[in-house]
Amino acid sequence: MRVARAFNCHLGLADMSQQMSCKELMKVLGLGAVAFILGVEWLNWLKRRLRDSRGPLKEVLFFPSPQVCVEHLFIRHKHFPCACPLPHGVETSFSRLLVHLLSSRVSLDLCMFSFSHMELSRAILLLHKRGVVVRVVTDRDYMTITGSQIGALRKAGICVRHEMSSAVHMHHKFALVDSRKLITGSLNWTLTAVQSNKENVMVTEEPELVGPYQQEFQKLWEANNPANHKPQCTNGQLNIKTCKDK
Amino acid sequence: MRVARAFNCHLGLADMSQQMSCKELMKVLGLGAVAFILGVEWLNWLKRRLRDSRGPLKEVLFFPSPQVCVEHLFIRHKHFPCACPLPHGVETSFSRLLVHLLSSRVSLDLCMFSFSHMELSRAILLLHKRGVVVRVVTDRDYMTITGSQIGALRKAGICVRHEMSSAVHMHHKFALVDSRKLITGSLNWTLTAVQSNKENVMVTEEPELVGPYQQEFQKLWEANNPANHKPQCTNGQLNIKTCKDK
């Protein structure tokens, strides 16, 4: 009798309901649901295992990057038809760099020798507006060159410190997103570097690489604290006054 | 009887030899040797497993690097008392960089924006002398600045190609050792960069990172082949004449 009923389970639901008691039908449906959930969970586990076996994020971007529209990266949760003449919906090295920067949720620590790129400045200002704690260490000489965005960041209240010694350059070009994602390479944040030069940027979440850069940032941040130095220029004083130093 | 003999194994070799037959003694010694070898093998396996679990090489070097004697890195298999006044036997970021470069056995592919450091030039010339295939891609403008080592490399017969376009900079600063070790960062190979600036260099054997840089090198190497361009300057012609192009 039971064998016959089990065989009938392969038939349609209507037939089953005729031949099975309501209790048995519930049992079969319940077991099916459990099997389905277990299957889905197993697939997720498999997916996680496959992802973990590839290790932490490692991405390499090369420049120059072609000019494309990146407006959609700045305006979240809004689909709007951008009217600019640049190509739309194209992923480039520059758009990938922006995506990684704009993924900051808590903090962004930036060590940048030369920073004059308008859209990268816009990204940093947007993060600051979103409440992300942004800290910038830059070069003493290059922060005042024509087109430098350092002034705009300071005016917005972002904490910027610069290399205190006039004899050396702060030549790093790296960023740390939420203290877990490192963006580093040869690329200064200038229009020429992004659109013309042969440059490289590496993005990684490898803790063995992120850790030393985070320590280096902290070291430079503390070493260039204007509070520990005699005031030498207006910029140093401005730094103390305008940003909420963390 | 056997139990008593086994107990006697804990005594000295002289006592054992008195109480055991020669055959049994050989057995014990043989088993001991096998156990010892297995133990050593197991330890080696454990060491390999621990090393593998850390994954491929990842090392980060920060600059400026203090000046120390690095003479011992150039002169192999020879212990000589170096008479220079610099500190000896000290490991620095710069000495680590040299160690990684001088580990080249087959090839060294170098993309360097500015190259004027004498000791790094000496390292490259030494590798070339040892038979390592050295290829260099550099910047058009910076290869002719005062102190540039590019001329010295070309004169020695090393293949050097430069960015053909006068409108852009070849701003990379990376090297590939034997196509498996990547050395990349913000550091130009100049004395100021090594001894004064705040700079970073990352050394890794992570295939996911090495691969793209190797492709980029090959792309630049081919794109800047002077044979495919109209002769524009003496340097370009010199490049064709002096090096055995691979």
Side-chain angles (χ1 to χ4, degrees):
Chain A
M1 188 62 178
R2 276 192 175 276
V3 175
R5 276 188 182 165
F7 177 72
N8 284 330
C9 288
H10 293 283
L11 302 173
L13 201 65
D15 295 338
M16 273 191 353
S17 62
Q18 282 170 8
Q19 292 175 33
M20 284 181 178
S21 70
C22 187
K23 204 176 166 184
E24 279 176 322
L25 185 66
M26 290 298 283
K27 246 187 206 172
V28 170
L29 287 173
L31 282 170
V34 168
F36 176 76
I37 291 163
L38 284 174
V40 168
E41 280 299 309
W42 180 77
L43 278 172
N44 280 335
W45 174 84
L46 203 68
K47 208 173 140 189
R48 276 199 302 275
R49 289 280 297 182
L50 282 170
R51 195 185 54 208
D52 291 348
S53 69
R54 286 201 305 270
L57 167 74
K58 293 170 209 86
E59 191 175 338
V60 184
L61 308 170
F62 290 107
F63 294 80
S65 181
Q67 263 188 288
V68 298
C69 177
V70 288
E71 201 57 32
H72 60 288
L73 300 177
F74 289 97
I75 301 165
R76 286 198 298 187
H77 313 301
K78 194 177 173 185
H79 296 280
F80 74 104
C82 179
C84 80
L86 294 170
H88 290 76
V90 185
E91 195 168 63
T92 64
S93 297
F94 181 65
S95 72
R96 290 295 302 153
L97 174 61
L98 271 178
V99 164
H100 284 299
L101 283 171
L102 291 169
S103 71
S104 306
R105 292 288 169 268
V106 182
S107 66
L108 183 82
D109 291 336
L110 177 66
C111 258
M112 191 50 60
F113 174 59
S114 182
F115 187 174
S116 59
H117 197 288
M118 295 288 284
E119 256 161 355
L120 286 167
S121 174
R122 185 183 169 195
I124 303 302
L125 292 169
L126 181 62
L127 289 175
H128 175 63
K129 207 173 161 187
R130 282 181 191 163
V132 172
V133 178
V134 180
R135 299 188 295 178
V136 180
V137 178
T138 192
D139 186 64
R140 184 191 176 97
D141 295 339
Y142 274 70
M143 71 178 180
T144 50
I145 58 163
T146 312
S148 171
Q149 291 297 307
I150 296 298
L153 302 187
R154 277 186 163 144
K155 271 180 201 157
I158 291 174
C159 293
V160 180
R161 292 182 181 177
H162 59 80
E163 173 60 49
M164 285 292 172
S165 164
S166 57
V168 308
H169 282 303
M170 201 304 296
H171 199 241
H172 290 303
K173 309 114 181 2
F174 71 82
L176 289 148
V177 173
D178 296 337
S179 302
R180 63 170 180 78
K181 188 191 281 184
L182 168 68
I183 302 170
T184 186
S186 68
L187 188 95
N188 283 303
W189 284 11
T190 69
L191 199 66
T192 308
V194 169
Q195 288 182 11
S196 305
N197 289 354
K198 305 297 191 303
E199 307 270 6
N200 66 82
V201 166
M202 182 190 290
V203 187
T204 180
E205 288 181 352
E206 178 62 66
E208 282 178 72
L209 296 174
V210 176
Y213 281 84
Q214 190 66 66
Q215 284 169 26
E216 175 73 358
F217 181 86
Q218 201 54 38
K219 195 177 136 192
L220 293 179
W221 187 250
E222 282 157 22
N224 294 305
N225 185 351
N228 302 334
H229 294 260
K230 282 181 189 169
Q232 291 176 338
C233 64
T234 320
N235 284 322
Q237 290 168 351
L238 181 70
N239 190 17
I240 304 168
K241 283 177 190 166
T242 55
C243 73
K244 289 170 192 165
D245 234 336
K246 277 99 194 168
Chain B
M1 187 64 178
R2 275 192 176 274
V3 175
R5 277 186 183 168
F7 176 71
N8 284 330
C9 288
H10 292 285
L11 302 172
L13 200 66
D15 294 339
M16 272 190 352
S17 62
Q18 283 169 8
Q19 290 172 35
M20 284 181 179
S21 70
C22 187
K23 205 176 166 184
E24 278 176 319
L25 184 67
M26 290 299 284
K27 247 187 204 172
V28 170
L29 287 174
L31 282 170
V34 169
F36 176 75
I37 291 164
L38 284 174
V40 169
E41 278 300 308
W42 180 78
L43 278 172
N44 280 335
W45 174 84
L46 202 69
K47 208 172 141 189
R48 276 199 302 276
R49 287 281 297 180
L50 281 170
R51 194 183 56 208
D52 291 350
S53 68
R54 286 201 305 269
L57 168 75
K58 295 170 209 86
E59 190 175 337
V60 183
L61 308 171
F62 290 106
F63 294 79
S65 179
Q67 262 188 289
V68 298
C69 177
V70 289
E71 201 56 32
H72 60 288
L73 300 176
F74 289 97
I75 301 166
R76 285 198 298 188
H77 313 304
K78 195 177 172 183
H79 297 280
F80 73 103
C82 180
C84 81
L86 294 170
H88 290 76
V90 184
E91 195 168 64
T92 63
S93 297
F94 181 64
S95 71
R96 290 296 301 155
L97 174 62
L98 271 179
V99 164
H100 284 300
L101 284 171
L102 290 170
S103 72
S104 306
R105 292 290 169 267
V106 182
S107 66
L108 183 83
D109 291 337
L110 177 66
C111 260
M112 191 51 58
F113 174 58
S114 182
F115 187 175
S116 59
H117 197 287
M118 296 287 284
E119 257 161 355
L120 286 166
S121 174
R122 185 183 169 194
I124 302 304
L125 292 169
L126 181 62
L127 290 175
H128 176 62
K129 207 173 162 186
R130 283 182 190 162
V132 172
V133 178
V134 180
R135 300 189 294 177
V136 180
V137 178
T138 191
D139 186 63
R140 186 191 175 96
D141 296 339
Y142 273 71
M143 72 178 178
T144 51
I145 59 161
T146 312
S148 171
Q149 290 298 307
I150 296 299
L153 302 186
R154 278 184 163 146
K155 271 181 201 157
I158 292 173
C159 294
V160 181
R161 291 182 181 177
H162 59 80
E163 173 60 50
M164 285 293 172
S165 165
S166 58
V168 307
H169 281 304
M170 201 306 294
H171 200 241
H172 288 305
K173 308 112 179 8
F174 71 82
L176 290 148
V177 173
D178 296 338
S179 301
R180 62 170 181 79
K181 187 190 283 182
L182 168 68
I183 302 170
T184 187
S186 68
L187 188 94
N188 283 304
W189 285 10
T190 69
L191 199 65
T192 308
V194 170
Q195 288 182 9
S196 304
N197 289 355
K198 305 296 192 303
E199 307 270 4
N200 66 82
V201 166
M202 182 190 290
V203 186
T204 180
E205 288 181 352
E206 179 62 65
E208 280 178 74
L209 296 173
V210 177
Y213 281 85
Q214 189 67 64
Q215 284 169 26
E216 175 73 358
F217 181 86
Q218 200 55 37
K219 194 178 138 192
L220 293 178
W221 186 250
E222 283 156 21
N224 294 305
N225 185 351
N228 301 335
H229 295 260
K230 283 181 189 169
Q232 290 177 337
C233 65
T234 319
N235 285 323
Q237 290 169 348
L238 181 70
N239 190 18
I240 305 168
K241 283 177 191 166
T242 55
C243 74
K244 289 170 191 167
D245 235 336
K246 279 99 194 167

